Amino acid sequence: MARSGTRERLFGAAIELIAESGLAATTVDQIAERAGVAKGTVYYNFGSKAALFSALLEYGVERLATALREAASGRAPLDALDAVVAAELAFIGEHESFARLLIAETWRSGGDWQRTARLIRERAIGVLADVLRDAVAAGDLRSDLDTATAASAVFGMVLTVALDWRALQPGRPLADVQATLMDLLRGRLTR
């Protein structure tokens, strides 16, 4: 199996286990067993559990940011906002364990939570900030909108609502969840 395929399996196993039990309780042995590889494979690919976790966060955040960028690409600003909200919802729906991990580990005491928060802001929330700045420049949103704070608020709102949807309302259609979020956003951000 190619190294990238092995890394994908290790990432998947680590995300599931850490979301289930937390980082401290998850062992390299468990990650290797869940991924169906030898323990040495984890060390060969990452060096340590801490390095695996760091790479896992970067990998997941970059995948999310890529999904958001692709959703916004080539669209008018308000259409891009709709598309980015839909993309974040869809990403969390598909990668629920990663979203739970992101929330749990970002705010867990100890560790490098500020680095993780910065990573999320720079890569994922930054996409939203760009979309909001474009919408302000186009005259679609209030000219006095603090786009950096608004981007964080939108990202956090979508993340929280997506987790609520997946955990408590899994039968509810994605389109309904997105429509409610967009009604809230349009009512508060537009002129």
Side-chain angles (χ1 to χ4, degrees):
M1 171 178 288
R3 186 169 181 188
S4 63
T6 301
R7 288 174 72 93
E8 285 283 331
R9 289 188 15 226
L10 289 168
F11 279 130
I15 287 170
E16 290 171 5
L17 287 164
I18 294 168
E20 291 168 11
S21 307
L23 177 62
T26 300
T27 67
V28 171
D29 287 332
Q30 291 170 321
I31 293 168
E33 182 180 333
R34 177 83 53 106
V37 300
K39 180 179 177 178
T41 302
V42 177
Y43 292 111
Y44 172 75
N45 280 275
F46 299 101
S48 68
K49 184 173 93 169
L52 168 63
F53 181 66
S54 180
L56 173 67
L57 285 174
E58 285 192 33
Y59 174 78
V61 170
E62 190 54 44
R63 283 185 66 186
L64 172 58
T66 297
L68 300 181
R69 275 191 303 275
E70 288 174 357
S73 181
R75 297 178 190 269
L78 288 183
D79 292 339
L81 182 59
D82 282 354
V84 168
V85 167
E88 186 179 348
L89 283 169
F91 185 90
I92 293 165
E94 292 173 29
H95 306 285
E96 183 180 337
S97 293
F98 176 74
R100 288 194 330 260
L101 167 67
L102 195 59
I103 288 175
E105 295 301 327
T106 300
W107 302 115
R108 186 180 304 275
S109 61
D112 196 3
W113 67 269
Q114 289 176 324
R115 180 187 163 281
T116 303
R118 197 173 303 108
L119 179 70
I120 295 165
R121 173 177 275 287
E122 289 171 0
R123 297 196 186 158
I125 296 172
V127 175
L128 268 164
D130 290 344
V131 167
L132 292 174
R133 276 191 291 278
D134 290 348
V136 168
D140 295 331
L141 300 180
R142 296 186 346 237
S143 62
D144 65 340
L145 182 67
D146 175 353
T147 55
T149 301
S152 290
V154 170
F155 182 85
M157 178 178 72
V158 175
L159 179 61
T160 302
V161 168
L163 289 174
D164 176 85
W165 163 55
R166 298 303 304 147
L168 304 174
Q169 307 173 57
R172 187 170 181 209
L174 172 73
D176 290 353
V177 176
Q178 180 187 355
T180 299
L181 284 168
M182 293 314 302
D183 286 347
L184 287 168
L185 288 174
R186 286 189 192 107
R188 298 304 299 162
L189 297 178
T190 55
R191 303 190 226 190

